[in-house]
Amino acid sequence: MTLLSTPADRSASGSRLERLGAAHVALAVALVIFPAIGSDFFLTQIGGYSLIFGMLALSLMMLAGYGGMVSLAQMTVAGIAGYMVAIFGQNSSGVLGFGWPWWIAVPFAVLVAALASALIGAISVRTEGIYTIMITLAIATATFYFTQQNYTIFNGFPGFAGLKAPVFWSVDWRSPVAFYYLCLGMAALVYAAVLYGSRSTFGLTLQAIRDNPRRMRAIGFDVTAHKIFAWFLAGVIAGLAGVLLVWFNGRISPGTIGVSAAINVLIIAVIGGIRHPIGPFLGAVVVVMMQTFAIDIVGAERFNTLIGLVFLVIVFVSPDGLLGLWGKIKPHIAQESLRSGP
Amino acid sequence: MNIHKRTLLLLAMATALSSPHLALADDASIKIGVLATFEGPFTVLGEDGMRGAMTAVDEVGGMVGGKKIEIVKGSSDASPDSAVRAARKLVEQDGVKVLVGPLSGDEGVAVKDYAKTQPNVTFINGTSAAQDTTLRNPAPNFFRFSTDGAQWMAGLGTYAYQVKGYKRVAVVAEDYSFPYTQVFGFMAEFCKAGGKVPSKSWVPIGNKDFSSVIAAIPDDVDAIYVALGGADAVNFLTQFQQAGGSAPLIGGSITVDQTVLTSKGKTRDVLIGTPSAGPVADTNDTPAWKAFVAAYKKQPDAFPSPSLFAHGYYVDMKATLLALGEVKDDVSDGGVKLRDALSKLSFDTPTGKVSLDKNRNAIADIYLTEVTAGSDGNLYNKLVKVIPQVNQTLGIPEKDFLALGAVGRDNPSCP
């Protein structure tokens, strides 16, 4: 909570508030007071889970939207962070578990994930478009099978259990409200960072590289280094999401980082739209709601069909996802309000 | 302002549809959650488990203890994560106080761990048959009336060695806790009888290409013990047949189950004559079993004979309903009375008497079978022998049994 309210407190002056945007303030307020109305289930299973998947999709949105690199390996990067927390922190599976305190294990896990992400970037950076997708998909699949069949380090199919959020600052971060705020704080942090970063010199250079790499290289920019650094930053975001994900599930297994989970991240980003960092979070809310409640609407045998249909409809109506849909509706609303004048 | 109204209407509809907990809570009904695999490689198995559970519900006319039964379904894809997520939704969102499920081995271990965090909810297993769900660190509110995978193998090792005359057997099994448990149950007897297992191949769940596995099986074995489930079993058997495999097979319980026997293709040629063991036998001719088959067949899309998943979910749902009836659906005390009734429960299932041990794991009859073609062209598991009242430690004193160690890829071993 502190993470969010401090910037709001500081922005007492009108110009600051304006720059922050009314929509942002309204959204922040709504998200902060959500625990007052949401049940525990909605806080963690919908709220927390959406925020975590939103962060994952955000790391993809950053690579795809600003860098033009569509990656299917973001779930793998998150999984690496998750496995690091399980292996170097405490788990109840009786395999490894070095018992490092969380404040060492977590930064270490995120760092390893970011470095792994940079490595994936270095491998795939010379490819473009569909070939990047294929290479990252291959890496994701290979990692999935590697964790599933390696019992000495990754404990194979069952994976690790008993991974819980720590207790610090005398707050139990595994309780629903605290965990929700933890996810919200982290999501707000990376969201603001990406928004800020996109307007920074590095962000603008990256977007220029996306639009015309050859020209950027001719001017003298090191295109490869910029791209790999973008992968590193995306890895930090995915790594943070991965740590939150294992705290959320209380466990990690190859199923967590399987191919369908990796594709889910792409679906979320596409549903939400990759033009603006808010898109992935919108997409995550829709997908998580669908996955949780579709079974109640159409029954156990056909619910995946309904999920697929909704995805199809969204992408069919608006190729830019929900963000694009909003872009289409907004002028209509403005027109309507003009017409319905006195 | 048309668009506003329409948007609002849509939003309202979406909210109404997506928040079933807002629907009026009905005091005249009792909610039971059923968790099964409706996604992934075990979908067919999960659907048949559901048929079994519904058979038990229909048997009591959808009423228990004077209240209407309301079934809330949850779906997993056989991974432990998805099982816990689905269980959480059923418990924390739909508010079920009684949950029947899950289906697969590691799911059971994960849900048992979750059960410890929900002491007021009663968990009754589906067909998950990993040993450690109840043997080590059991949860006080997790019950299993459907026995475990090692119990299912009772009698098979001795039968394969003494009657079939197989001295050396290779193992091909999926790489997770349930096949470990099955291999443990088979080898415990087979090795004791004097048999040898020179090679074990552990394949990942959901494997499609078995050619390298088939090539790696030693030539000098008398038979191959196969413990694969659902789509994996069908893929293996088809490829084994195409590769010209001629070694006789020994089946794990779910490898020669109706979920596999009813598959189309040439798998049937390699399967006929395969001995196996499990909680059910298709050609069991006791009146109780026949009555169960008749009741089961009323379910939509039912198999010619109920699979062990239908049977397991039926037995666990039946136990749930019997106990709920006994306490008149009263779970307002956090399920204390219900769990008390469940622990003391002992009843006759279509496959004989079931009772629980101190870890809340079932003691029940196990059926030794062989695959045969029926007169109608379908494949059936022919009943060879009944092994009465097998307990979780397979008749070995508990201390000695625990000393054998946890099941795993390398335990047991008799090369």
Side-chain angles (χ1 to χ4, degrees):
Chain A
M1 185 153 186
T2 39
L3 269 171
L4 257 179
S5 53
T6 18
D9 291 342
R10 278 200 212 116
S11 60
S13 63
S15 66
R16 196 76 182 265
L17 194 70
E18 249 166 55
R19 255 177 53 200
L20 207 57
H24 276 139
V25 175
L27 186 67
V29 170
L31 284 171
V32 168
I33 62 165
F34 181 55
I37 49 166
S39 66
D40 283 358
F41 177 82
F42 262 82
L43 280 183
T44 50
Q45 296 282 306
I46 305 293
Y49 200 44
S50 300
L51 287 165
I52 293 168
F53 265 97
M55 285 168 71
L56 269 171
L58 178 67
S59 81
L60 169 61
M61 176 269 151
M62 195 190 126
L63 284 177
Y66 299 138
M69 300 171 279
V70 179
S71 157
L72 277 175
Q74 296 317 105
M75 196 71 215
T76 308
V77 174
I80 289 170
Y83 269 113
M84 287 304 128
V85 169
I87 291 169
F88 290 98
Q90 274 176 336
N91 68 67
S92 64
S93 294
V95 175
L96 299 173
F98 294 127
W100 292 7
W102 70 270
W103 44 270
I104 301 179
V106 170
F108 178 76
V110 174
L111 184 68
V112 171
L115 290 175
S117 177
L119 183 68
I120 298 172
I123 294 170
S124 62
V125 76
R126 274 172 204 83
T127 58
E128 260 176 35
I130 193 132
Y131 301 101
T132 313
I133 299 181
M134 290 314 292
I135 282 192
T136 48
L137 179 62
I139 291 170
T141 314
T143 315
F144 165 67
Y145 278 112
F146 183 67
T147 53
Q148 180 160 311
Q149 288 174 283
N150 185 314
Y151 275 75
T152 5
I153 306 172
F154 296 105
N155 201 25
F157 185 82
F160 295 97
L163 316 168
K164 294 259 171 75
V167 178
F168 60 91
W169 297 339
S170 63
V171 176
D172 179 6
W173 293 98
R174 58 194 84 158
S175 70
V177 176
F179 186 75
Y180 170 77
Y181 279 125
L182 180 67
C183 292
L184 183 59
M186 283 293 158
L189 192 71
V190 293
Y191 172 76
V194 169
L195 209 55
Y196 174 80
S198 70
R199 295 166 194 163
S200 71
T201 320
F202 171 74
L204 293 172
T205 316
L206 191 66
Q207 290 169 60
I209 288 173
R210 171 197 65 194
D211 294 336
N212 199 333
R214 189 180 286 183
R215 186 173 291 174
M216 290 304 282
R217 199 172 282 127
I219 301 173
F221 284 96
D222 188 338
V223 169
T224 310
H226 272 82
K227 282 187 169 179
I228 294 179
F229 187 60
W231 274 91
F232 179 85
L233 293 179
V236 172
I237 298 175
L240 282 171
V243 172
L244 291 174
L245 188 65
V246 295
W247 284 348
F248 167 80
N249 279 326
R251 53 178 304 119
I252 184 163
S253 64
T256 318
I257 59 164
V259 175
S260 60
I263 291 174
N264 247 353
V265 176
L266 181 65
I267 291 176
I268 287 172
V270 170
I271 294 277
I274 55 170
R275 290 281 170 81
H276 188 274
I278 196 69
F281 291 98
L282 286 177
V285 172
V286 171
V287 170
V288 168
M289 292 283 272
M290 285 300 297
Q291 284 183 340
T292 312
F293 294 114
I295 194 167
D296 295 325
I297 304 176
V298 285
E301 283 77 26
R302 297 280 173 268
F303 72 104
N304 276 324
T305 316
L306 180 70
I307 296 177
L309 279 177
V310 171
F311 293 164
L312 271 180
V313 167
I314 291 179
V315 178
F316 182 73
V317 172
S318 162
D320 282 347
L322 292 173
L323 276 182
L325 206 60
W326 175 243
K328 274 185 194 168
I329 292 173
K330 211 160 81 171
H332 280 287
I333 294 176
Q335 294 274 313
E336 288 269 356
S337 56
L338 282 180
R339 268 183 231 140
S340 61
Chain B
M1 299 295 279
N2 275 336
I3 206 152
H4 277 296
K5 273 183 202 153
R6 232 182 292 153
T7 320
L8 278 176
L9 188 68
L10 271 175
L11 267 176
M13 268 171 64
T15 321
L17 281 171
S18 62
S19 349
H21 70 294
L22 290 180
L24 289 174
D26 191 354
D27 271 349
S29 74
I30 172 101
K31 252 191 207 174
I32 301 176
V34 180
L35 172 55
T37 52
F38 299 117
E39 300 158 72
F42 292 165
T43 307
V44 179
L45 289 54
E47 286 170 358
D48 205 46
M50 197 66 220
R51 276 176 219 127
M54 292 314 289
T55 308
V57 173
D58 291 348
E59 198 175 275
V60 292
M63 300 277 287
V64 65
K67 286 185 184 173
K68 208 168 156 293
I69 300 168
E70 189 191 337
I71 298 288
V72 193
K73 293 183 199 175
S75 169
S76 70
D77 60 9
S79 75
D81 297 28
S82 69
V84 171
R85 249 193 330 269
R88 269 187 180 173
K89 193 227 160 202
L90 290 173
V91 170
E92 293 169 32
Q93 171 65 13
D94 299 322
V96 302
K97 294 285 174 227
V98 186
L99 193 153
V100 178
L103 179 126
S104 168
D106 282 306
E107 293 185 290
V109 179
V111 169
K112 178 244 319 193
D113 286 336
Y114 172 68
K116 290 179 183 166
T117 66
Q118 297 288 340
N120 292 330
V121 179
T122 307
F123 294 79
I124 299 103
N125 188 45
T127 51
S128 164
Q131 197 171 57
D132 278 353
T133 312
T134 50
L135 190 65
R136 292 177 179 86
N137 301 318
N141 51 343
F142 192 99
F143 298 77
R144 175 155 67 191
F145 289 89
S146 51
T147 54
D148 80 15
Q151 291 173 276
W152 292 355
M153 289 284 99
L156 183 61
T158 317
Y159 181 77
Y161 187 84
Q162 288 175 355
V163 181
K164 286 281 182 180
Y166 303 146
K167 310 293 175 210
R168 289 165 65 78
V169 168
V171 166
V172 177
E174 279 155 338
D175 202 354
Y176 70 100
S177 64
F178 167 66
Y180 299 162
T181 310
Q182 287 243 287
V183 171
F184 179 94
F186 170 74
M187 284 177 66
E189 276 187 26
F190 185 68
C191 297
K192 206 170 156 194
K196 298 280 175 227
V197 177
S199 93
K200 286 189 240 173
S201 311
W202 300 107
V203 297
I205 204 167
N207 195 15
K208 302 279 186 297
D209 180 13
F210 287 92
S211 49
S212 61
V213 176
I214 292 167
I217 297 171
D219 291 331
D220 62 341
V221 292
D222 302 321
I224 303 168
Y225 174 89
V226 185
L228 304 166
D232 290 355
V234 175
N235 284 337
F236 173 81
L237 293 169
T238 313
Q239 291 172 33
F240 180 69
Q241 199 265 346
Q242 280 165 355
S246 56
L249 302 176
I250 305 169
S253 303
I254 67 172
T255 312
V256 293
D257 186 67
Q258 282 295 326
T259 52
V260 176
L261 294 184
T262 50
S263 70
K264 304 281 183 283
K266 289 187 173 166
T267 54
R268 47 187 305 125
D269 301 342
V270 279
L271 275 176
I272 292 173
T274 302
S276 181
V280 297
D282 299 335
T283 63
N284 187 349
D285 55 6
T286 59
W289 175 257
K290 283 184 167 166
F292 171 60
V293 175
Y296 160 84
K297 279 193 175 170
K298 288 190 193 121
Q299 298 295 322
D301 304 320
F303 293 131
S305 181
S307 71
L308 70 84
F309 300 94
H311 171 263
Y313 270 86
Y314 170 82
V315 169
D316 280 305
M317 180 58 91
K318 170 115 181 170
T320 310
L321 296 177
L322 285 172
L324 277 172
E326 210 167 292
V327 301
K328 300 266 177 295
D329 293 339
D330 181 14
V331 285
S332 53
D333 56 351
V336 177
K337 269 193 288 181
L338 176 67
R339 288 194 284 279
D340 197 40
L342 278 168
S343 324
K344 291 186 189 131
L345 202 60
S346 162
F347 64 104
D348 284 314
T349 71
T351 51
K353 191 182 121 193
V354 167
S355 57
L356 291 185
D357 63 13
K358 67 176 171 50
N359 283 343
R360 294 162 299 284
N361 191 74
I363 300 166
D365 294 352
I366 297 299
Y367 292 75
L368 191 65
T369 60
E370 236 177 81
V371 178
T372 47
S375 52
D376 55 356
N378 293 322
L379 292 183
Y380 292 102
N381 278 308
K382 189 181 69 182
L383 175 59
V384 175
K385 194 177 154 195
V386 181
I387 294 95
Q389 299 298 299
V390 179
N391 68 3
Q392 195 173 22
T393 60
L394 311 173
I396 303 168
E398 190 182 342
K399 212 172 98 241
D400 300 348
F401 189 79
L402 286 173
L404 295 175
V407 300
R409 316 174 105 206
D410 303 321
N411 184 38
S413 168
C414 58

